[in-house]
Amino acid sequence: MIHEPIRKTTGNRLMAIMQVRNEADRHLEAVLQELSQFVDDIVIVDDASTDDTVKLCKAFPKVTRLIELGQSKFHKEWELRSLLWNAACSMKPDWLLAVDADEFYEETAKMWMRTIIDHDQYDWVGFRFFDFWGGTTHYRDDMHWQIHRRHTRTLVRYIPEYHYFFPKMDHHVPRLPLTYAALPGFLTELRVKHYGWAVSDEELKRKYLRYMERDPLGKWGDLEQYHSILDPNPNLVAWKEEEDT
């Protein structure tokens, strides 16, 4: 029997969790700098990086746990997600924020984060994510790229003894356990900038080829979306910071 969890309304600690692989020359340093401004701890699983990713992570004092894998589990993403989750939960956090190494929370989101986690009304929070495309000034908005039109659950309260599980998928595994969907949540209009697609045309082609190699039949994702990566004229919308809207 699972007892009703104790929901603290003051003094909650926030732990960021992240899995990384060969991110040293991308956005990882900036992401860790940003996270260090508003979280208490950062837990990272490094998936057998061959660059300076591990060294970079160790340079940040708030990275309080870093698991270094000697052999990559990239082809079994659900195992990576489970490993990261279990490592974080072993430290008995209050709240967990699942972050990728190319995501930036807008200033307003960071400002409200403490207020959001110090309450007893809900156990998860969804944010609006925007896929920036070809650079950091515009995001993509079309039939295949509209994640910003819905909410993505990335912030959750840790509840001891609750049942957690990840679907056994090789690719596109949810970043947090599916069982949070059964708990009360809050949908906020606070925004997150995703820079994973803010790359050159050459890098877009390489990403497309990696997707097709890993999932040629669209078993784990959407083949039409994969093909749309190469669209020469995607619909892009200029980003406006909060103070400009």
Side-chain angles (χ1 to χ4, degrees):
M1 178 179 179
I2 298 177
H3 299 285
E4 180 70 14
I6 298 175
R7 294 181 169 91
K8 292 167 54 180
T9 56
T10 58
N12 279 297
R13 291 179 62 83
L14 178 59
M15 175 184 291
I17 59 175
M18 182 190 308
Q19 62 187 53
V20 297
R21 175 175 169 81
N22 292 337
E23 300 286 351
D25 296 325
R26 298 174 183 171
H27 301 286
L28 178 60
E29 183 172 9
V31 169
L32 290 174
Q33 288 174 343
E34 179 181 85
L35 289 174
S36 295
Q37 297 172 11
F38 70 96
V39 306
D40 299 294
D41 301 282
I42 304 172
V43 174
I44 298 175
V45 170
D46 177 74
D47 187 33
S49 290
T50 57
D51 63 0
D52 289 332
T53 293
V54 169
K55 180 180 178 181
L56 179 58
C57 292
K58 289 180 177 179
F60 286 84
K62 286 196 175 179
V63 178
T64 51
R65 185 168 186 184
L66 173 61
I67 298 175
E68 303 174 46
L69 299 183
Q71 185 173 354
S72 175
K73 289 182 175 290
F74 189 66
H75 61 293
K76 291 289 185 182
E77 190 178 349
W78 73 272
E79 293 185 5
L80 271 176
R81 294 290 191 195
S82 298
L83 177 62
L84 175 61
W85 178 258
N86 291 333
C89 291
S90 70
M91 299 174 68
K92 296 180 171 54
D94 293 319
W95 282 79
L96 301 103
L97 181 68
V99 184
D100 284 349
D102 51 17
E103 295 173 350
F104 296 86
Y105 282 72
E106 66 175 344
E107 290 301 318
T108 306
K110 292 185 288 185
M111 180 181 69
W112 280 98
M113 198 66 71
R114 292 292 164 179
T115 300
I116 290 173
I117 66 175
D118 280 341
H119 68 88
D120 60 359
Q121 300 301 308
Y122 44 82
D123 297 316
W124 59 264
V125 182
F127 297 85
R128 297 279 191 183
F129 277 67
F130 292 75
D131 285 320
F132 280 69
W133 204 268
T136 59
T137 61
H138 290 70
Y139 62 91
R140 186 164 174 176
D141 178 19
D142 56 42
M143 65 180 296
H144 296 299
W145 300 87
Q146 48 184 262
I147 190 173
H148 54 282
R149 296 176 181 269
R150 59 183 185 274
H151 291 82
T152 300
R153 183 187 302 117
T154 57
L155 177 63
V156 295
R157 186 194 306 272
Y158 173 60
I159 303 174
E161 300 182 18
Y162 190 64
H163 174 62
Y164 300 108
F165 84 94
F166 291 89
K168 294 184 178 181
M169 300 167 59
D170 294 340
H171 196 31
H172 295 310
V173 181
R175 66 178 72 194
L176 290 166
L178 293 179
T179 39
Y180 272 101
L183 298 173
F186 173 58
L187 303 179
T188 173
E189 296 307 302
L190 298 172
R191 304 178 301 174
V192 184
K193 295 183 273 190
H194 175 225
Y195 285 171
W197 299 99
V199 297
S200 66
D201 290 343
E202 291 74 17
E203 180 60 21
L204 285 175
K205 292 177 183 177
R206 287 192 288 269
K207 289 169 75 75
Y208 166 76
L209 293 174
R210 287 197 295 271
Y211 272 80
M212 295 307 298
E213 180 182 3
R214 293 186 64 192
D215 189 20
L217 301 178
K219 180 179 180 181
W220 310 113
D222 184 342
L223 278 180
E224 289 189 7
Q225 186 186 44
Y226 295 166
H227 295 320
S228 74
I229 294 171
L230 300 181
D231 186 340
N233 296 297
N235 184 57
L236 303 182
V237 179
W239 173 263
K240 292 184 179 181
E241 295 295 341
E242 176 68 19
E243 60 270 20
D244 296 328
T245 57

Coordinates of all heavy atoms in Angstrom, one line a residue, residues 7-14 40 94-95 112-122 125 155 157:
R7 N 3.8 16.4 1.2 CA 4.2 17.4 0.2 C 4.6 18.7 1.0 O 3.8 19.4 1.5 CB 3.0 17.7 -0.7 CG 2.6 16.5 -1.5 CD 1.4 16.8 -2.4 NE 1.2 15.8 -3.4 CZ 0.4 14.8 -3.3 NH1 -0.2 14.6 -2.1 NH2 0.2 13.9 -4.3
K8 N 5.9 18.9 0.9 CA 6.5 20.1 1.6 C 6.1 21.3 0.8 O 6.1 21.3 -0.4 CB 8.0 20.0 1.6 CG 8.6 18.9 2.5 CD 10.0 18.6 2.3 CE 10.9 19.9 2.3 NZ 12.3 19.7 2.1
T9 N 5.8 22.4 1.5 CA 5.5 23.7 0.9 C 6.5 24.7 1.1 O 6.3 25.9 0.7 CB 4.1 24.2 1.4 OG1 4.2 24.3 2.9 CG2 3.0 23.2 1.1
T10 N 7.6 24.4 1.7 CA 8.7 25.3 1.9 C 10.0 24.6 1.8 O 10.1 23.4 2.2 CB 8.7 26.1 3.2 OG1 8.7 25.2 4.3 CG2 7.4 27.0 3.3
G11 N 11.1 25.2 1.4 CA 12.4 24.6 1.4 C 12.7 23.5 0.6 O 13.6 22.7 0.8
N12 N 11.9 23.2 -0.5 CA 12.1 22.1 -1.4 C 13.4 22.3 -2.1 O 13.7 23.4 -2.6 CB 11.0 21.9 -2.3 CG 9.8 21.2 -1.7 OD1 9.9 20.1 -1.3 ND2 8.7 21.9 -1.6
R13 N 14.2 21.3 -2.3 CA 15.4 21.3 -3.1 C 15.1 20.8 -4.5 O 14.3 19.9 -4.7 CB 16.5 20.5 -2.5 CG 17.0 21.0 -1.1 CD 18.1 20.2 -0.5 NE 19.3 20.0 -1.4 CZ 20.3 20.9 -1.4 NH1 20.2 22.0 -0.7 NH2 21.3 20.7 -2.2
L14 N 15.8 21.4 -5.4 CA 15.6 21.1 -6.9 C 16.9 20.4 -7.4 O 18.0 20.9 -7.4 CB 15.3 22.3 -7.6 CG 15.1 22.2 -9.2 CD1 13.9 21.2 -9.5 CD2 14.8 23.5 -9.8
D40 N 19.8 23.1 -7.1 CA 20.6 22.8 -5.9 C 21.7 21.7 -6.2 O 22.8 21.7 -5.7 CB 19.8 22.3 -4.7 CG 18.8 23.4 -4.3 OD1 19.3 24.5 -3.8 OD2 17.6 23.2 -4.5
D94 N 13.8 16.3 -3.6 CA 12.4 16.8 -3.4 C 11.7 16.9 -4.8 O 10.7 16.3 -5.0 CB 12.4 18.1 -2.7 CG 12.9 18.1 -1.3 OD1 12.5 17.1 -0.6 OD2 13.6 19.0 -0.8
W95 N 12.4 17.6 -5.7 CA 11.9 17.8 -7.0 C 13.0 17.5 -8.0 O 14.2 17.7 -7.7 CB 11.4 19.2 -7.3 CG 10.0 19.4 -6.7 CD1 9.7 19.7 -5.4 CD2 8.8 19.4 -7.4 NE1 8.3 19.8 -5.2 CE2 7.7 19.7 -6.5 CE3 8.4 19.2 -8.7 CZ2 6.4 19.8 -6.8 CZ3 7.1 19.3 -9.1 CH2 6.1 19.6 -8.1
W112 N 10.6 31.9 -11.5 CA 9.4 31.3 -10.8 C 9.6 29.9 -10.3 O 8.7 29.3 -9.6 CB 8.2 31.3 -11.7 CG 7.5 32.6 -11.8 CD1 7.7 33.6 -12.8 CD2 6.6 33.2 -10.9 NE1 6.9 34.7 -12.5 CE2 6.2 34.4 -11.4 CE3 6.0 32.7 -9.7 CZ2 5.3 35.2 -10.7 CZ3 5.0 33.5 -9.1 CH2 4.7 34.7 -9.5
M113 N 10.8 29.3 -10.6 CA 11.0 27.9 -10.3 C 10.8 27.6 -8.8 O 10.1 26.6 -8.4 CB 12.4 27.5 -10.7 CG 12.5 26.0 -10.9 SD 11.5 25.2 -12.2 CE 12.3 25.9 -13.7
R114 N 11.3 28.4 -7.9 CA 11.1 28.1 -6.5 C 9.7 28.2 -6.0 O 9.2 27.4 -5.2 CB 12.0 29.1 -5.6 CG 13.5 28.9 -5.8 CD 13.9 27.6 -5.2 NE 15.3 27.2 -5.7 CZ 15.9 26.1 -5.3 NH1 15.4 25.3 -4.5 NH2 17.1 25.8 -5.9
T115 N 9.0 29.1 -6.5 CA 7.5 29.2 -6.2 C 6.8 28.0 -6.7 O 5.9 27.5 -6.0 CB 6.9 30.5 -6.8 OG1 7.6 31.7 -6.3 CG2 5.5 30.6 -6.5
I116 N 7.1 27.5 -7.9 CA 6.5 26.4 -8.5 C 6.6 25.1 -7.6 O 5.7 24.4 -7.5 CB 7.0 26.2 -9.9 CG1 6.5 27.3 -10.8 CG2 6.5 24.8 -10.5 CD1 7.1 27.3 -12.2
I117 N 7.8 24.9 -7.1 CA 8.0 23.7 -6.4 C 7.7 23.7 -4.9 O 7.6 22.7 -4.2 CB 9.5 23.2 -6.5 CG1 10.5 24.2 -5.8 CG2 9.9 23.0 -7.9 CD1 11.9 23.7 -5.8
D118 N 7.4 24.9 -4.3 CA 7.0 25.0 -2.9 C 5.5 25.1 -2.8 O 4.9 26.2 -2.6 CB 7.7 26.2 -2.3 CG 9.1 25.9 -1.9 OD1 9.5 24.7 -1.8 OD2 9.9 26.9 -1.7
H119 N 4.8 24.0 -2.9 CA 3.3 24.0 -2.9 C 2.9 22.5 -2.6 O 3.7 21.6 -2.6 CB 2.7 24.4 -4.2 CG 3.0 23.4 -5.3 ND1 2.2 22.4 -5.5 CD2 4.1 23.3 -6.1 CE1 2.8 21.6 -6.5 NE2 3.9 22.2 -6.8
D120 N 1.6 22.3 -2.5 CA 1.1 20.9 -2.2 C 0.0 20.5 -3.1 O -0.8 19.7 -2.8 CB 0.7 20.7 -0.8 CG -0.4 21.7 -0.3 OD1 -0.8 22.5 -1.2 OD2 -0.8 21.6 0.9
Q121 N -0.2 21.2 -4.3 CA -1.3 21.0 -5.1 C -1.1 20.1 -6.3 O -2.0 19.5 -6.8 CB -1.8 22.4 -5.7 CG -2.2 23.4 -4.6 CD -3.3 22.9 -3.7 OE1 -4.4 22.4 -4.2 NE2 -3.1 22.9 -2.4
Y122 N 0.1 19.9 -6.7 CA 0.4 19.0 -7.9 C 1.8 18.4 -7.8 O 2.6 18.8 -7.0 CB 0.3 19.9 -9.2 CG 0.9 21.2 -9.2 CD1 2.3 21.4 -9.4 CD2 0.2 22.4 -8.9 CE1 2.9 22.6 -9.3 CE2 0.8 23.6 -8.8 CZ 2.2 23.7 -9.0 OH 2.7 25.0 -9.0
V125 N 5.0 19.3 -13.5 CA 4.8 20.6 -14.2 C 5.2 20.4 -15.7 O 6.2 19.8 -16.0 CB 5.6 21.7 -13.6 CG1 5.3 23.0 -14.3 CG2 5.3 21.8 -12.1
L155 N 9.3 18.6 -15.0 CA 9.6 18.9 -13.6 C 8.6 18.0 -12.7 O 7.4 18.1 -12.9 CB 9.3 20.4 -13.3 CG 9.5 20.9 -11.8 CD1 10.9 20.6 -11.3 CD2 9.1 22.3 -11.7
R157 N 7.8 16.0 -8.7 CA 8.0 15.8 -7.3 C 8.5 14.3 -7.2 O 7.8 13.4 -7.7 CB 6.8 16.0 -6.5 CG 7.0 16.0 -5.0 CD 5.6 15.9 -4.3 NE 4.7 17.0 -4.6 CZ 4.7 18.2 -4.0 NH1 5.5 18.4 -3.0 NH2 3.8 19.1 -4.4

